[in-house]
Amino acid sequence: MPRFYARRRLSVAAAATALISSVALFNAPTASAALPTPVSGATARSYLASLTVATEDRTGYDRDLFPHWITQSGTCNTREVVLERDGTNVQQNSSCAATSGSWYSPYDGATWSAASDVDIDHVIPLAEAWDSGADSWTTSRRQSFANDLTRPQLIAVTDNVNQSKGDQDPATWMPSRTAYRCTYVRAWVQVKYYYDLSVDSAEKSALQNYLASC
């Protein structure tokens, strides 16, 4: 059974508003999300071949076990750093909260002008990491993982798209924008490799299929 840990559900009215906003912003200047460039397709295939294949441990997950959106500098937490990094013409107040700007979501191709319409996605979801080996980590390592700005692990995307992804892996969820899928799976494998996380058999098969054309 798919596992979902969405932070909130959109109402029908909110979904309609989001659709209208997306259409209204279609011709707005778009920003390119600045996810750290993942490894090449060839390197990702090599990394994937070395990952341990194991059945996921689906017990004991709690999001609070991964301290996230920690302070990075001054008053800026991880979320605000990524919003500024991935946006265009981002203005922040004295608390580092984004008050204006433009954000392009590479998962679905939508552009947003309100930070509240944007989530910061963990490419490897926290629950997926827990199920793949992070259950044995220290809290400090889980914090580093949840706030990793160096690897291609955090990216600003449309909020309800992030919520629809939940904690799914590439066997059951991929960005609807096909042009981004190669980048996505390369990032997925790179992060799993760096943190020595396992993959399950269905996940590995899906990644192999997508990487074959990268």
Side-chain angles (χ1 to χ4, degrees):
M1 176 180 294
R3 295 154 295 131
F4 298 93
Y5 298 91
R7 288 181 294 283
R8 62 187 185 278
R9 296 180 183 273
L10 292 182
S11 66
V12 173
T17 300
L19 177 61
I20 292 169
S21 298
S22 177
V23 172
L25 289 167
F26 183 77
N27 292 318
T30 59
S32 296
L35 181 83
T37 302
V39 296
S40 68
T43 298
R45 288 190 288 272
S46 175
Y47 283 178
L48 179 59
S50 72
L51 294 181
T52 298
V53 178
T55 301
E56 293 183 350
D57 172 13
R58 300 190 175 192
T59 60
Y61 169 72
D62 186 330
R63 189 174 176 84
D64 290 340
L65 294 168
F66 293 79
H68 53 284
W69 306 165
I70 61 172
T71 299
Q72 292 289 344
S73 64
T75 59
C76 298
N77 67 22
T78 306
R79 171 180 164 82
E80 299 300 344
V81 169
V82 178
L83 284 173
E84 196 280 331
R85 182 198 72 184
D86 289 5
T88 294
N89 299 324
V90 177
Q91 299 297 314
Q92 297 170 307
N93 63 21
S94 59
S95 299
C96 204
T99 57
S100 63
S102 177
W103 291 271
Y104 174 74
S105 169
Y107 285 3
D108 59 337
T111 300
W112 303 96
S113 61
S116 58
D117 289 321
V118 178
D119 276 357
I120 307 306
D121 180 43
H122 289 94
V123 172
I124 304 294
L126 303 183
E128 166 69 23
W130 177 269
D131 293 344
S132 305
D135 56 341
S136 65
W137 292 354
T138 62
T139 299
S140 176
R141 185 162 177 77
R142 287 194 289 265
Q143 176 176 292
S144 296
F145 175 83
N147 298 276
D148 191 346
L149 296 168
T150 303
R151 263 63 55 180
Q153 164 66 345
L154 299 173
I155 185 170
V157 299
T158 301
D159 57 358
N160 61 319
V161 171
N162 183 44
Q163 293 155 34
S164 71
K165 171 184 171 180
D167 67 346
Q168 298 179 84
D169 68 35
T172 55
W173 189 93
M174 285 289 285
S176 61
R177 185 168 162 264
T178 56
Y180 199 71
R181 290 180 176 178
C182 180
T183 300
Y184 183 78
V185 294
R186 285 157 46 212
W188 183 283
V189 171
Q190 180 179 346
V191 174
K192 281 231 162 174
Y193 179 83
Y194 179 83
Y195 285 98
D196 194 25
L197 294 169
S198 64
V199 291
D200 63 43
S201 57
E203 174 189 357
K204 181 173 183 178
S205 178
L207 289 166
Q208 287 174 323
N209 289 337
Y210 286 113
L211 285 171
S213 59
C214 288

